[in-house]
Amino acid sequence: MGGDAARGWEGDDRMTVLVTGGAGYIGLHTVAELMAHGEAVVVVDDLSTGHRLPEPFAQVPFYPVDIRDESAVASVIERHDVDAVVHFAARSLVGESVQDPLLYYERNVGATQHLLRVMIRTGVRRLVFSSTAAVYGHPDRTPIREDDPTAPVNPYGETKLAIERMIRWCGEAHGLSAISLRYFNAAGAHPDLPIGEDHRPETHLVPIILQVALGQREAITVYGDDYDTPDGTCIRDYIHVMDLASAHRLALNRLRTTDVRTEVYNLGTGRGHSVLEVVAAARRVTGHSIPVVMGPRRAGDPATLVASPERAQSVLGWAPAHTDLMSIVASAWRWHRSHPDGYEENLHSM
Ligand code: UFG
């Protein structure tokens, strides 16, 4: 790729991206996006929640490594001339984090501490970090801007915020150049490749609704219809996973071309949809009646979470391509209908 000084760190012409957690849902879609734009990518993933890379990714160097193993990560960085890290590897279930907070401190904060140490030691200065809207807790206003107060209400959001702060301090102390991306509700699947959302157990709204359409569940239980929203159900900002992926690519470009210290961006469409609106969209997309059962509220759910994506649009030049709910649900449906059992191998190490 040549030693183009404009690409970043002076005298640094390494150009491989290390993707941690690249076997997970958002990680693998980002790997696909980076490769489609000519990036060399190497994946590390301990497969504790991810899936072995499917066939179209057979050429991607893959290491079944836990990022807490500093020497293993350092040798991957050195072998592949890594110049930047996109860091997804984490535990990411809100409910699980409430049940087992120490697991989240260990696997999110602790593991990232090891990763940062290796990056500093090996001279890798660029980092894109996978953060979350959960850092805002129950927001005071909507749409949420990046400078609004952060007040997580569960260990998952708390650990992601702790990592953002750890990254900021490392930026000041060690010259790390980093962008944290706060995702709202990821949904959808790759338009061409056989990859999509497959969590075990599944807790997310869109795949659960589509499992009803596939006849794998009787009904969708709506967690509360007494919220202060127009139809009483929670409002979320659903963002297509390929739009999240493109934001990572743009963030990486920014780190390579601009003198960034640490920055934070919301990733959402700026438009919210209630749980019942998502069900209605899925009924239209699938032609299935999708029965609904009203249930109690789920602990910790804010009534409304909608992003202001203005900063990502103006600074990163990010322009989400799939902004309407129907096309996001249709994209998820294409994957679920063609892969009713998710990733066939179903290989998990835990
Ligand atoms: N919901 C239901 N029934 C279900 C599943 C979900 O009614 O069976 C509702 C939830 O109560 C919520 C909405 O659908 O109102 C979306 O729920 P998800 O579980 O799909 O997503 P969350 O909004 O809870 O979680 C997402 C990310 C988390 C992140 C969180 C921030 O998946 O990583 O946003 O609050 F932490």
Side-chain angles (χ1 to χ4, degrees), residues 200-248:
R200 319 268 170 119
E202 190 54 78
T203 63
H204 295 91
L205 180 66
V206 171
I208 287 180
I209 290 175
L210 296 179
Q211 287 173 353
V212 179
L214 286 169
Q216 297 172 345
R217 291 176 192 252
E218 293 284 307
I220 170 79
T221 302
V222 173
Y223 297 146
D225 62 352
D226 57 350
Y227 285 95
D228 184 17
T229 61
D231 67 17
T233 65
C234 287
I235 291 178
R236 294 288 181 273
D237 185 337
Y238 294 89
I239 178 76
H240 197 284
V241 67
M242 291 311 296
D243 287 324
L244 291 183
S246 74
H248 290 76

mmCIF file of all heavy atoms in Angstrom, residues 200-248:
data_model
loop_
_atom_site.group_PDB
_atom_site.id
_atom_site.type_symbol
_atom_site.label_atom_id
_atom_site.label_comp_id
_atom_site.label_asym_id
_atom_site.label_seq_id
_atom_site.Cartn_x
_atom_site.Cartn_y
_atom_site.Cartn_z
ATOM 1 N N ARG A 200 -26.917 -16.721 21.322
ATOM 2 C CA ARG A 200 -27.433 -17.866 22.099
ATOM 3 C C ARG A 200 -27.201 -17.587 23.580
ATOM 4 O O ARG A 200 -26.035 -17.574 23.985
ATOM 5 C CB ARG A 200 -26.721 -19.152 21.708
ATOM 6 C CG ARG A 200 -26.459 -19.335 20.233
ATOM 7 C CD ARG A 200 -27.558 -20.090 19.562
ATOM 8 N NE ARG A 200 -27.370 -20.037 18.106
ATOM 9 C CZ ARG A 200 -27.186 -21.113 17.342
ATOM 10 N NH1 ARG A 200 -27.131 -22.290 17.875
ATOM 11 N NH2 ARG A 200 -27.076 -20.986 16.034
ATOM 12 N N PRO A 201 -28.217 -17.354 24.377
ATOM 13 C CA PRO A 201 -29.612 -17.273 23.995
ATOM 14 C C PRO A 201 -29.901 -15.946 23.302
ATOM 15 O O PRO A 201 -29.158 -14.969 23.485
ATOM 16 C CB PRO A 201 -30.331 -17.341 25.348
ATOM 17 C CG PRO A 201 -29.371 -16.696 26.306
ATOM 18 C CD PRO A 201 -27.994 -17.075 25.814
ATOM 19 N N GLU A 202 -30.980 -15.901 22.530
ATOM 20 C CA GLU A 202 -31.356 -14.644 21.876
ATOM 21 C C GLU A 202 -32.190 -13.812 22.843
ATOM 22 O O GLU A 202 -33.109 -14.320 23.466
ATOM 23 C CB GLU A 202 -32.166 -14.939 20.604
ATOM 24 C CG GLU A 202 -32.387 -13.724 19.738
ATOM 25 C CD GLU A 202 -31.067 -13.015 19.394
ATOM 26 O OE1 GLU A 202 -30.332 -13.486 18.514
ATOM 27 O OE2 GLU A 202 -30.789 -11.983 20.046
ATOM 28 N N THR A 203 -31.829 -12.533 22.972
ATOM 29 C CA THR A 203 -32.607 -11.646 23.848
ATOM 30 C C THR A 203 -33.109 -10.418 23.095
ATOM 31 O O THR A 203 -33.882 -9.641 23.649
ATOM 32 C CB THR A 203 -31.738 -11.145 25.026
ATOM 33 O OG1 THR A 203 -30.655 -10.366 24.502
ATOM 34 C CG2 THR A 203 -31.193 -12.276 25.864
ATOM 35 N N HIS A 204 -32.631 -10.206 21.855
ATOM 36 C CA HIS A 204 -32.934 -8.959 21.153
ATOM 37 C C HIS A 204 -34.268 -9.014 20.423
ATOM 38 O O HIS A 204 -34.668 -10.060 19.897
ATOM 39 C CB HIS A 204 -31.800 -8.632 20.175
ATOM 40 C CG HIS A 204 -30.511 -8.351 20.882
ATOM 41 N ND1 HIS A 204 -29.589 -9.330 21.159
ATOM 42 C CD2 HIS A 204 -30.008 -7.210 21.412
ATOM 43 C CE1 HIS A 204 -28.572 -8.805 21.812
ATOM 44 N NE2 HIS A 204 -28.797 -7.521 21.985
ATOM 45 N N LEU A 205 -34.888 -7.854 20.361
ATOM 46 C CA LEU A 205 -36.269 -7.782 19.881
ATOM 47 C C LEU A 205 -36.452 -8.294 18.451
ATOM 48 O O LEU A 205 -37.325 -9.138 18.206
ATOM 49 C CB LEU A 205 -36.766 -6.328 19.985
ATOM 50 C CG LEU A 205 -38.203 -6.120 19.519
ATOM 51 C CD1 LEU A 205 -39.182 -6.851 20.432
ATOM 52 C CD2 LEU A 205 -38.541 -4.624 19.463
ATOM 53 N N VAL A 206 -35.676 -7.786 17.497
ATOM 54 C CA VAL A 206 -35.955 -8.118 16.090
ATOM 55 C C VAL A 206 -35.802 -9.621 15.827
ATOM 56 O O VAL A 206 -36.727 -10.250 15.291
ATOM 57 C CB VAL A 206 -35.099 -7.253 15.135
ATOM 58 C CG1 VAL A 206 -35.237 -7.744 13.696
ATOM 59 C CG2 VAL A 206 -35.510 -5.779 15.241
ATOM 60 N N PRO A 207 -34.688 -10.256 16.231
ATOM 61 C CA PRO A 207 -34.614 -11.706 15.978
ATOM 62 C C PRO A 207 -35.689 -12.503 16.702
ATOM 63 O O PRO A 207 -36.193 -13.488 16.153
ATOM 64 C CB PRO A 207 -33.213 -12.094 16.476
ATOM 65 C CG PRO A 207 -32.616 -10.900 17.091
ATOM 66 C CD PRO A 207 -33.418 -9.704 16.717
ATOM 67 N N ILE A 208 -36.079 -12.067 17.899
ATOM 68 C CA ILE A 208 -37.123 -12.816 18.616
ATOM 69 C C ILE A 208 -38.450 -12.729 17.858
ATOM 70 O O ILE A 208 -39.143 -13.725 17.674
ATOM 71 C CB ILE A 208 -37.258 -12.302 20.069
ATOM 72 C CG1 ILE A 208 -36.044 -12.785 20.878
ATOM 73 C CG2 ILE A 208 -38.545 -12.802 20.708
ATOM 74 C CD1 ILE A 208 -36.048 -12.354 22.325
ATOM 75 N N ILE A 209 -38.772 -11.538 17.372
ATOM 76 C CA ILE A 209 -40.009 -11.390 16.590
ATOM 77 C C ILE A 209 -39.956 -12.288 15.352
ATOM 78 O O ILE A 209 -40.938 -12.947 14.986
ATOM 79 C CB ILE A 209 -40.206 -9.911 16.171
ATOM 80 C CG1 ILE A 209 -40.553 -9.056 17.389
ATOM 81 C CG2 ILE A 209 -41.288 -9.796 15.110
ATOM 82 C CD1 ILE A 209 -40.642 -7.560 17.070
ATOM 83 N N LEU A 210 -38.803 -12.341 14.713
ATOM 84 C CA LEU A 210 -38.702 -13.133 13.476
ATOM 85 C C LEU A 210 -38.728 -14.634 13.784
ATOM 86 O O LEU A 210 -39.170 -15.427 12.948
ATOM 87 C CB LEU A 210 -37.453 -12.724 12.691
ATOM 88 C CG LEU A 210 -37.504 -11.264 12.207
ATOM 89 C CD1 LEU A 210 -36.225 -10.894 11.456
ATOM 90 C CD2 LEU A 210 -38.738 -10.988 11.335
ATOM 91 N N GLN A 211 -38.310 -15.009 14.976
ATOM 92 C CA GLN A 211 -38.449 -16.422 15.368
ATOM 93 C C GLN A 211 -39.927 -16.801 15.504
ATOM 94 O O GLN A 211 -40.299 -17.951 15.258
ATOM 95 C CB GLN A 211 -37.695 -16.696 16.678
ATOM 96 C CG GLN A 211 -36.174 -16.708 16.474
ATOM 97 C CD GLN A 211 -35.391 -16.796 17.772
ATOM 98 O OE1 GLN A 211 -35.945 -16.723 18.866
ATOM 99 N NE2 GLN A 211 -34.073 -16.946 17.651
ATOM 100 N N VAL A 212 -40.757 -15.836 15.873
ATOM 101 C CA VAL A 212 -42.202 -16.099 15.897
ATOM 102 C C VAL A 212 -42.682 -16.333 14.465
ATOM 103 O O VAL A 212 -43.410 -17.295 14.180
ATOM 104 C CB VAL A 212 -42.981 -14.936 16.554
ATOM 105 C CG1 VAL A 212 -44.482 -15.236 16.548
ATOM 106 C CG2 VAL A 212 -42.481 -14.670 17.979
ATOM 107 N N ALA A 213 -42.237 -15.478 13.551
ATOM 108 C CA ALA A 213 -42.649 -15.620 12.147
ATOM 109 C C ALA A 213 -42.176 -16.949 11.558
ATOM 110 O O ALA A 213 -42.822 -17.509 10.673
ATOM 111 C CB ALA A 213 -42.112 -14.449 11.323
ATOM 112 N N LEU A 214 -41.072 -17.480 12.073
ATOM 113 C CA LEU A 214 -40.551 -18.768 11.591
ATOM 114 C C LEU A 214 -41.230 -19.953 12.271
ATOM 115 O O LEU A 214 -40.910 -21.105 11.970
ATOM 116 C CB LEU A 214 -39.037 -18.858 11.856
ATOM 117 C CG LEU A 214 -38.134 -18.022 10.954
ATOM 118 C CD1 LEU A 214 -36.707 -18.008 11.503
ATOM 119 C CD2 LEU A 214 -38.142 -18.559 9.528
ATOM 120 N N GLY A 215 -42.125 -19.677 13.206
ATOM 121 C CA GLY A 215 -42.803 -20.761 13.920
ATOM 122 C C GLY A 215 -41.966 -21.349 15.041
ATOM 123 O O GLY A 215 -42.297 -22.409 15.576
ATOM 124 N N GLN A 216 -40.881 -20.667 15.411
ATOM 125 C CA GLN A 216 -40.010 -21.200 16.470
ATOM 126 C C GLN A 216 -40.454 -20.741 17.862
ATOM 127 O O GLN A 216 -39.966 -21.236 18.869
ATOM 128 C CB GLN A 216 -38.557 -20.779 16.218
ATOM 129 C CG GLN A 216 -38.011 -21.362 14.925
ATOM 130 C CD GLN A 216 -36.645 -20.802 14.561
ATOM 131 O OE1 GLN A 216 -36.209 -19.794 15.107
ATOM 132 N NE2 GLN A 216 -35.990 -21.447 13.607
ATOM 133 N N ARG A 217 -41.290 -19.717 17.898
ATOM 134 C CA ARG A 217 -41.896 -19.254 19.154
ATOM 135 C C ARG A 217 -43.361 -19.010 18.891
ATOM 136 O O ARG A 217 -43.737 -18.662 17.769
ATOM 137 C CB ARG A 217 -41.276 -17.921 19.612
ATOM 138 C CG ARG A 217 -39.849 -18.009 20.056
ATOM 139 C CD ARG A 217 -39.344 -16.606 20.393
ATOM 140 N NE ARG A 217 -37.906 -16.618 20.558
ATOM 141 C CZ ARG A 217 -37.275 -16.486 21.730
ATOM 142 N NH1 ARG A 217 -37.977 -16.286 22.830
ATOM 143 N NH2 ARG A 217 -35.966 -16.525 21.794
ATOM 144 N N GLU A 218 -44.146 -19.100 19.964
ATOM 145 C CA GLU A 218 -45.600 -18.916 19.831
ATOM 146 C C GLU A 218 -45.959 -17.446 19.626
ATOM 147 O O GLU A 218 -46.856 -17.117 18.862
ATOM 148 C CB GLU A 218 -46.295 -19.368 21.125
ATOM 149 C CG GLU A 218 -46.211 -20.856 21.387
ATOM 150 C CD GLU A 218 -47.172 -21.610 20.499
ATOM 151 O OE1 GLU A 218 -48.360 -21.251 20.511
ATOM 152 O OE2 GLU A 218 -46.714 -22.529 19.774
ATOM 153 N N ALA A 219 -45.275 -16.578 20.390
ATOM 154 C CA ALA A 219 -45.669 -15.169 20.435
ATOM 155 C C ALA A 219 -44.485 -14.340 20.895
ATOM 156 O O ALA A 219 -43.514 -14.865 21.422
ATOM 157 C CB ALA A 219 -46.825 -14.990 21.427
ATOM 158 N N ILE A 220 -44.582 -13.037 20.704
ATOM 159 C CA ILE A 220 -43.590 -12.124 21.257
ATOM 160 C C ILE A 220 -44.188 -11.508 22.537
ATOM 161 O O ILE A 220 -45.312 -11.004 22.520
ATOM 162 C CB ILE A 220 -43.183 -11.023 20.244
ATOM 163 C CG1 ILE A 220 -42.327 -9.938 20.908
ATOM 164 C CG2 ILE A 220 -44.387 -10.380 19.567
ATOM 165 C CD1 ILE A 220 -40.903 -10.312 21.089
ATOM 166 N N THR A 221 -43.426 -11.584 23.603
ATOM 167 C CA THR A 221 -43.852 -10.937 24.842
ATOM 168 C C THR A 221 -43.310 -9.516 24.846
ATOM 169 O O THR A 221 -42.096 -9.311 24.734
ATOM 170 C CB THR A 221 -43.311 -11.700 26.075
ATOM 171 O OG1 THR A 221 -43.788 -13.043 26.006
ATOM 172 C CG2 THR A 221 -43.767 -11.056 27.368
ATOM 173 N N VAL A 222 -44.217 -8.560 24.935
ATOM 174 C CA VAL A 222 -43.799 -7.151 24.968
ATOM 175 C C VAL A 222 -43.566 -6.764 26.424
ATOM 176 O O VAL A 222 -44.452 -6.933 27.267
ATOM 177 C CB VAL A 222 -44.877 -6.252 24.316
ATOM 178 C CG1 VAL A 222 -44.532 -4.783 24.504
ATOM 179 C CG2 VAL A 222 -45.028 -6.593 22.841
ATOM 180 N N TYR A 223 -42.373 -6.251 26.675
ATOM 181 C CA TYR A 223 -42.001 -5.944 28.060
ATOM 182 C C TYR A 223 -42.537 -4.581 28.486
ATOM 183 O O TYR A 223 -41.797 -3.606 28.566
ATOM 184 C CB TYR A 223 -40.480 -5.972 28.211
ATOM 185 C CG TYR A 223 -39.842 -7.325 27.954
ATOM 186 C CD1 TYR A 223 -38.581 -7.413 27.372
ATOM 187 C CD2 TYR A 223 -40.489 -8.513 28.296
ATOM 188 C CE1 TYR A 223 -37.975 -8.641 27.143
ATOM 189 C CE2 TYR A 223 -39.902 -9.740 28.067
ATOM 190 C CZ TYR A 223 -38.650 -9.802 27.499
ATOM 191 O OH TYR A 223 -38.052 -11.017 27.275
ATOM 192 N N GLY A 224 -43.818 -4.548 28.739
ATOM 193 C CA GLY A 224 -44.428 -3.354 29.317
ATOM 194 C C GLY A 224 -45.117 -2.479 28.283
ATOM 195 O O GLY A 224 -44.545 -2.179 27.234
ATOM 196 N N ASP A 225 -46.391 -2.107 28.596
ATOM 197 C CA ASP A 225 -47.112 -1.181 27.709
ATOM 198 C C ASP A 225 -47.644 0.007 28.494
ATOM 199 O O ASP A 225 -48.638 0.615 28.116
ATOM 200 C CB ASP A 225 -48.231 -1.899 26.933
ATOM 201 C CG ASP A 225 -49.294 -2.476 27.849
ATOM 202 O OD1 ASP A 225 -49.105 -2.468 29.091
ATOM 203 O OD2 ASP A 225 -50.324 -2.931 27.326
ATOM 204 N N ASP A 226 -46.948 0.310 29.614
ATOM 205 C CA ASP A 226 -47.379 1.443 30.439
ATOM 206 C C ASP A 226 -46.282 2.508 30.546
ATOM 207 O O ASP A 226 -46.192 3.237 31.525
ATOM 208 C CB ASP A 226 -47.781 0.954 31.837
ATOM 209 C CG ASP A 226 -46.656 0.206 32.547
ATOM 210 O OD1 ASP A 226 -45.622 -0.106 31.898
ATOM 211 O OD2 ASP A 226 -46.814 -0.075 33.749
ATOM 212 N N TYR A 227 -45.415 2.548 29.527
ATOM 213 C CA TYR A 227 -44.383 3.601 29.497
ATOM 214 C C TYR A 227 -44.987 4.911 29.008
ATOM 215 O O TYR A 227 -46.041 4.922 28.355
ATOM 216 C CB TYR A 227 -43.233 3.183 28.563
ATOM 217 C CG TYR A 227 -42.318 2.137 29.159
ATOM 218 C CD1 TYR A 227 -42.531 0.783 28.894
ATOM 219 C CD2 TYR A 227 -41.260 2.490 29.980
ATOM 220 C CE1 TYR A 227 -41.691 -0.190 29.437
ATOM 221 C CE2 TYR A 227 -40.421 1.533 30.526
ATOM 222 C CZ TYR A 227 -40.642 0.195 30.249
ATOM 223 O OH TYR A 227 -39.814 -0.755 30.795
ATOM 224 N N ASP A 228 -44.290 5.991 29.291
ATOM 225 C CA ASP A 228 -44.744 7.316 28.855
ATOM 226 C C ASP A 228 -44.329 7.540 27.396
ATOM 227 O O ASP A 228 -43.449 8.345 27.090
ATOM 228 C CB ASP A 228 -44.138 8.377 29.789
ATOM 229 C CG ASP A 228 -44.653 9.759 29.448
ATOM 230 O OD1 ASP A 228 -45.689 9.849 28.743
ATOM 231 O OD2 ASP A 228 -44.019 10.742 29.878
ATOM 232 N N THR A 229 -44.957 6.775 26.520
ATOM 233 C CA THR A 229 -44.701 6.870 25.072
ATOM 234 C C THR A 229 -46.064 6.800 24.384
ATOM 235 O O THR A 229 -47.042 6.380 25.022
ATOM 236 C CB THR A 229 -43.835 5.691 24.579
ATOM 237 O OG1 THR A 229 -44.540 4.475 24.834
ATOM 238 C CG2 THR A 229 -42.464 5.650 25.263
ATOM 239 N N PRO A 230 -46.176 7.165 23.114
ATOM 240 C CA PRO A 230 -47.504 7.215 22.483
ATOM 241 C C PRO A 230 -48.294 5.910 22.571
ATOM 242 O O PRO A 230 -49.494 5.932 22.843
ATOM 243 C CB PRO A 230 -47.192 7.594 21.035
ATOM 244 C CG PRO A 230 -45.942 8.417 21.153
ATOM 245 C CD PRO A 230 -45.146 7.784 22.267
ATOM 246 N N ASP A 231 -47.666 4.751 22.352
ATOM 247 C CA ASP A 231 -48.452 3.507 22.474
ATOM 248 C C ASP A 231 -48.130 2.735 23.757
ATOM 249 O O ASP A 231 -48.570 1.590 23.925
ATOM 250 C CB ASP A 231 -48.291 2.621 21.220
ATOM 251 C CG ASP A 231 -46.882 2.052 21.047
ATOM 252 O OD1 ASP A 231 -46.110 2.051 22.026
ATOM 253 O OD2 ASP A 231 -46.560 1.601 19.930
ATOM 254 N N GLY A 232 -47.345 3.337 24.633
ATOM 255 C CA GLY A 232 -47.054 2.718 25.935
ATOM 256 C C GLY A 232 -45.882 1.759 25.922
ATOM 257 O O GLY A 232 -45.433 1.303 26.974
ATOM 258 N N THR A 233 -45.346 1.442 24.711
ATOM 259 C CA THR A 233 -44.205 0.513 24.671
ATOM 260 C C THR A 233 -42.914 1.301 24.418
ATOM 261 O O THR A 233 -42.943 2.435 23.923
ATOM 262 C CB THR A 233 -44.401 -0.585 23.596
ATOM 263 O OG1 THR A 233 -44.407 -0.006 22.284
ATOM 264 C CG2 THR A 233 -45.715 -1.334 23.818
ATOM 265 N N CYS A 234 -41.787 0.679 24.744
ATOM 266 C CA CYS A 234 -40.495 1.383 24.705
ATOM 267 C C CYS A 234 -40.110 1.790 23.277
ATOM 268 O O CYS A 234 -40.345 1.044 22.320
ATOM 269 C CB CYS A 234 -39.386 0.486 25.217
ATOM 270 S SG CYS A 234 -39.431 0.231 26.978
ATOM 271 N N ILE A 235 -39.460 2.935 23.186
ATOM 272 C CA ILE A 235 -38.994 3.435 21.896
ATOM 273 C C ILE A 235 -37.478 3.301 21.812
ATOM 274 O O ILE A 235 -36.757 3.664 22.750
ATOM 275 C CB ILE A 235 -39.442 4.895 21.716
ATOM 276 C CG1 ILE A 235 -40.964 4.912 21.538
ATOM 277 C CG2 ILE A 235 -38.730 5.552 20.535
ATOM 278 C CD1 ILE A 235 -41.557 6.289 21.394
ATOM 279 N N ARG A 236 -37.020 2.756 20.686
ATOM 280 C CA ARG A 236 -35.584 2.589 20.447
ATOM 281 C C ARG A 236 -35.239 3.088 19.053
ATOM 282 O O ARG A 236 -36.095 3.170 18.163
ATOM 283 C CB ARG A 236 -35.182 1.105 20.536
ATOM 284 C CG ARG A 236 -35.340 0.494 21.911
ATOM 285 C CD ARG A 236 -34.267 1.016 22.864
ATOM 286 N NE ARG A 236 -34.382 0.435 24.194
ATOM 287 C CZ ARG A 236 -35.163 0.926 25.171
ATOM 288 N NH1 ARG A 236 -35.897 2.000 24.969
ATOM 289 N NH2 ARG A 236 -35.189 0.340 26.349
ATOM 290 N N ASP A 237 -33.956 3.343 18.852
ATOM 291 C CA ASP A 237 -33.442 3.833 17.569
ATOM 292 C C ASP A 237 -32.731 2.641 16.899
ATOM 293 O O ASP A 237 -31.616 2.280 17.288
ATOM 294 C CB ASP A 237 -32.463 4.978 17.877
ATOM 295 C CG ASP A 237 -31.933 5.671 16.647
ATOM 296 O OD1 ASP A 237 -31.936 5.057 15.560
ATOM 297 O OD2 ASP A 237 -31.481 6.828 16.787
ATOM 298 N N TYR A 238 -33.400 2.019 15.937
ATOM 299 C CA TYR A 238 -32.853 0.817 15.288
ATOM 300 C C TYR A 238 -31.947 1.233 14.128
ATOM 301 O O TYR A 238 -32.368 1.984 13.243
ATOM 302 C CB TYR A 238 -34.000 -0.102 14.821
ATOM 303 C CG TYR A 238 -34.754 -0.646 16.013
ATOM 304 C CD1 TYR A 238 -35.850 0.052 16.550
ATOM 305 C CD2 TYR A 238 -34.328 -1.803 16.659
ATOM 306 C CE1 TYR A 238 -36.503 -0.412 17.680
ATOM 307 C CE2 TYR A 238 -34.984 -2.271 17.792
ATOM 308 C CZ TYR A 238 -36.062 -1.576 18.290
ATOM 309 O OH TYR A 238 -36.704 -2.026 19.428
ATOM 310 N N ILE A 239 -30.725 0.721 14.185
ATOM 311 C CA ILE A 239 -29.722 1.116 13.195
ATOM 312 C C ILE A 239 -29.200 -0.140 12.493
ATOM 313 O O ILE A 239 -28.905 -1.138 13.141
ATOM 314 C CB ILE A 239 -28.586 1.941 13.867
ATOM 315 C CG1 ILE A 239 -27.499 2.324 12.884
ATOM 316 C CG2 ILE A 239 -27.982 1.227 15.063
ATOM 317 C CD1 ILE A 239 -27.883 3.451 11.972
ATOM 318 N N HIS A 240 -29.116 -0.067 11.169
ATOM 319 C CA HIS A 240 -28.698 -1.241 10.399
ATOM 320 C C HIS A 240 -27.232 -1.585 10.683
ATOM 321 O O HIS A 240 -26.373 -0.693 10.715
ATOM 322 C CB HIS A 240 -28.890 -0.994 8.901
ATOM 323 C CG HIS A 240 -28.862 -2.258 8.103
ATOM 324 N ND1 HIS A 240 -27.710 -2.934 7.817
ATOM 325 C CD2 HIS A 240 -29.875 -2.972 7.554
ATOM 326 C CE1 HIS A 240 -28.001 -4.024 7.111
ATOM 327 N NE2 HIS A 240 -29.312 -4.057 6.941
ATOM 328 N N VAL A 241 -26.970 -2.864 10.837
ATOM 329 C CA VAL A 241 -25.610 -3.297 11.193
ATOM 330 C C VAL A 241 -24.585 -2.877 10.131
ATOM 331 O O VAL A 241 -23.428 -2.593 10.466
ATOM 332 C CB VAL A 241 -25.603 -4.828 11.459
ATOM 333 C CG1 VAL A 241 -25.877 -5.619 10.179
ATOM 334 C CG2 VAL A 241 -24.311 -5.277 12.116
ATOM 335 N N MET A 242 -24.995 -2.786 8.847
ATOM 336 C CA MET A 242 -24.030 -2.350 7.832
ATOM 337 C C MET A 242 -23.746 -0.855 7.944
ATOM 338 O O MET A 242 -22.669 -0.391 7.553
ATOM 339 C CB MET A 242 -24.518 -2.702 6.418
ATOM 340 C CG MET A 242 -24.523 -4.192 6.111
ATOM 341 S SD MET A 242 -22.977 -5.064 6.516
ATOM 342 C CE MET A 242 -21.815 -4.272 5.404
ATOM 343 N N ASP A 243 -24.704 -0.104 8.468
ATOM 344 C CA ASP A 243 -24.429 1.313 8.729
ATOM 345 C C ASP A 243 -23.477 1.469 9.919
ATOM 346 O O ASP A 243 -22.600 2.340 9.913
ATOM 347 C CB ASP A 243 -25.729 2.085 8.949
ATOM 348 C CG ASP A 243 -26.490 2.290 7.644
ATOM 349 O OD1 ASP A 243 -25.831 2.495 6.597
ATOM 350 O OD2 ASP A 243 -27.733 2.238 7.657
ATOM 351 N N LEU A 244 -23.640 0.602 10.910
ATOM 352 C CA LEU A 244 -22.650 0.602 11.998
ATOM 353 C C LEU A 244 -21.274 0.267 11.429
ATOM 354 O O LEU A 244 -20.274 0.914 11.742
ATOM 355 C CB LEU A 244 -23.007 -0.437 13.066
ATOM 356 C CG LEU A 244 -24.238 -0.170 13.927
ATOM 357 C CD1 LEU A 244 -24.371 -1.285 14.976
ATOM 358 C CD2 LEU A 244 -24.137 1.175 14.621
ATOM 359 N N ALA A 245 -21.242 -0.749 10.560
ATOM 360 C CA ALA A 245 -19.962 -1.183 9.983
ATOM 361 C C ALA A 245 -19.295 -0.031 9.225
ATOM 362 O O ALA A 245 -18.094 0.203 9.354
ATOM 363 C CB ALA A 245 -20.182 -2.387 9.076
ATOM 364 N N SER A 246 -20.078 0.704 8.440
ATOM 365 C CA SER A 246 -19.468 1.787 7.654
ATOM 366 C C SER A 246 -18.933 2.886 8.570
ATOM 367 O O SER A 246 -17.924 3.527 8.267
ATOM 368 C CB SER A 246 -20.441 2.341 6.611
ATOM 369 O OG SER A 246 -21.428 3.121 7.221
ATOM 370 N N ALA A 247 -19.588 3.092 9.715
ATOM 371 C CA ALA A 247 -19.081 4.099 10.661
ATOM 372 C C ALA A 247 -17.701 3.699 11.205
ATOM 373 O O ALA A 247 -16.839 4.556 11.413
ATOM 374 C CB ALA A 247 -20.068 4.289 11.813
ATOM 375 N N HIS A 248 -17.489 2.400 11.408
ATOM 376 C CA HIS A 248 -16.159 1.954 11.872
ATOM 377 C C HIS A 248 -15.098 2.237 10.816
ATOM 378 O O HIS A 248 -13.980 2.639 11.129
ATOM 379 C CB HIS A 248 -16.177 0.461 12.207
ATOM 380 C CG HIS A 248 -16.983 0.155 13.429
ATOM 381 N ND1 HIS A 248 -18.354 0.152 13.418
ATOM 382 C CD2 HIS A 248 -16.620 -0.116 14.703
ATOM 383 C CE1 HIS A 248 -18.791 -0.110 14.637
ATOM 384 N NE2 HIS A 248 -17.772 -0.274 15.428
#
